[in-house]
Amino acid sequence: MNRDTIIGFVLIALVLIGFSWWNQPSAEEIEAARKQDSIASAIKDNAARQQQANEAAKKAQAEAAAKGDSTALFFSALNGQNQPVVLKNDKVELTFNTKGGSIAKAVIKGFEDRDDKMDVTLFDEKSQQMNFMLAGKSENIITQDLYFTPSNVTDSTVTMTAQAGNGGSLVLNYQLGKDYMLHFNLQAQGLNGMFAPNYKEMDIEWTDMARQQEKGFTFENRYSTLTYKEKNGGTDYLNETSEKIDEKIEEQLDWVAFKNQFFSAALIAKSEFAANSLMTSIPQEKGSGFLKQFNAKMKTSFDPSGMNPTEFEMYIGPNDFRLIKDVEEQSTFGKDLDLEQLVYLGWPLFRYINRFFTIYVFDWLTSWGFGMGIVLILITLLLKAITFPMVKKSYMSSAKMRVLKPKLDEATKQYDKPEDSMKKQQAMMQMYSQYGVSPLSGCLPMLIQMPIWIAMFNFVPNAIQLRRQSFLWIDDLSTYDPIIEWGTQIWGIGDHLSLTCILFCVSNVLYSYMTMRQQKDQMVGQQAEQMKMMQWMMYLMPIMFFFMFNDYSSGLNFYYFISLFFSAAIMWTLRKTTNDEKLLAILEAKYQENKNNPNKKTSGLAARLEAMQKQAEELQRQRQNQKR
């Protein structure tokens, strides 16, 4: 073991120690974690106090009404009995409470929940509440305090009416579409004189404790976000890992969504939500059964005269790209809602790859009835077939450099001194040019495969088609596949070992070994020494990947495992089928051809590299002359 290797080990150890120290929680973070439960408790206490205050206000209004106080506008609606009303179709079942007049429970049909029971309860009245608030001249009208009378009740429609003391009313009309879209509006009737002349906006407060729907808490939590779309703009979301309380959104918004990994509830306003909405996202503890506490405080237009109802729509359903695009066409608002952005497909470049390639290929393969595991294998084979010409070109470039290595060693042995490195590089480039070899010809095509890897990194975890799909030993391709589990969390690993993650990391080591050996065979002089450090770094990458991907979906790890396995197989096949003697003979023939044509000049990348080296050499010579 030489000095450079020892130094390399020391640097690696320092990097790992420094990384661990850097990521350890600070005193403030520890204190914040300690206070998280107390914060949640405080929020519940505030909610309880608010409820008590509302009850007190209701009682006061009722007492005032009994005394003939005309300011108790909705005195007759402050008392009553809650009566659930259900709207349903083949896709969803929505329960509305007459107390508050709003949606209380949403069940998405046809999908298993975390306990393998059919149908997913996205939220219920204990975890979710939607409240509409109007500021009257003498009192605030809060829909959650009022009892509504249902009418026009069918499987797809209901009208909720809260009767006012002056003969007017507040009306909520609901209509459920054929699948996942709910249309509704809020309208004041006979209440025009109860509001200020310039009153044009109403307040909406929507809260939800997002339920854990999948086995893997950490992974699902990473993809559960409060997402919103700006008017005439793109979508954005609150940070999924940090606590955000009353984050001000300065732009007008088309919609706000409380998004889980595979299911979402999105509230859409016809007249947009006004600027400066306040958004809250508070991550919850593992084991609580919840992922995030979401809260959205918004304003939108309201017509006190009742001439123009305030219109809304809600999408309540799965995060399926094709499905959402189809459902969006049922919107009556005439907007480009872009709701399919709820399915995160990555940054623009990777999103285009997924949007216009991966999804089409995935849909085509699934249409043949293949299981999801087979689909992932077939996608891998298809991508390997598409990129094979570039991979072969890259390999042949490396093979040419490998067979020329003895000649390069002989031609450059007089330039072993450090100060002669520029001359040595120039001599190597000259020989490469004479033999018709471009040392970088294989590098650029290989880079094309990296965007595909990253695109699949974004596509697979968000593909609801993988949810609850089994393959071989894997019970669910959308979450991790543990070969062993334990009850406590271990830093960096969690509470399990994922078999597909282990296979991915092992295949990564194998592929790195083959790649490094191939590169080592073509290195000359000091390059071979520098490669030793690179080799250790390449072997450390799979260890880093293990800590990153142990919580990730088995489908993604399986795809990477299969991809690396086939990459290693292709490299091994090319190595076995390449005749070094014949390849060297071809290069010698090229050398003779160039030798017999002395007027032929280098071109392309080799010429540019040669020109840059000459400029650098001339600059170095000028500096040496100035020192003299």
Side-chain angles (χ1 to χ4, degrees), residues 359-385:
I359 290 179
Y360 282 99
V361 173
F362 193 85
D363 289 346
W364 176 65
L365 291 174
T366 53
S367 68
W368 288 82
F370 295 118
M372 292 298 106
I374 300 298
V375 167
L376 290 175
I377 294 175
L378 293 177
I379 287 179
T380 306
L381 290 173
L382 178 61
L383 292 174
K384 293 302 177 186

Side-chain angles (χ1 to χ4, degrees), residues 455-490:
M456 292 298 288
F457 175 83
N458 290 298
F459 173 78
V460 173
N462 292 289
I464 194 172
Q465 293 83 354
L466 298 179
R467 186 178 186 269
R468 295 294 189 272
Q469 296 298 307
S470 60
F471 181 68
L472 298 178
W473 69 90
I474 306 170
D475 293 330
D476 186 349
L477 285 165
S478 70
T479 187
Y480 59 83
D481 57 320
I483 55 173
I484 185 173
E485 294 183 273
W486 50 87
T488 58
Q489 288 285 322
I490 298 178

Side-chain angles (χ1 to χ4, degrees), residues 24-48:
Q24 70 179 354
S26 64
E28 291 80 4
E29 291 173 329
I30 293 173
E31 180 65 16
R34 186 185 66 80
K35 291 182 177 179
Q36 183 168 357
D37 288 338
S38 61
I39 291 173
S41 177
I43 292 173
K44 292 180 180 178
D45 290 344
N46 286 335

Side-chain angles (χ1 to χ4, degrees), residues 327-352:
V327 172
E328 186 177 325
E329 295 179 0
Q330 301 173 24
S331 173
T332 61
F333 294 167
K335 296 181 178 181
D336 184 11
L337 296 176
D338 226 12
L339 276 172
E340 65 272 13
Q341 295 283 353
L342 289 171
V343 183
Y344 183 71
L345 296 178
W347 293 345
L349 171 62
F350 313 120
R351 182 174 183 82
Y352 290 140

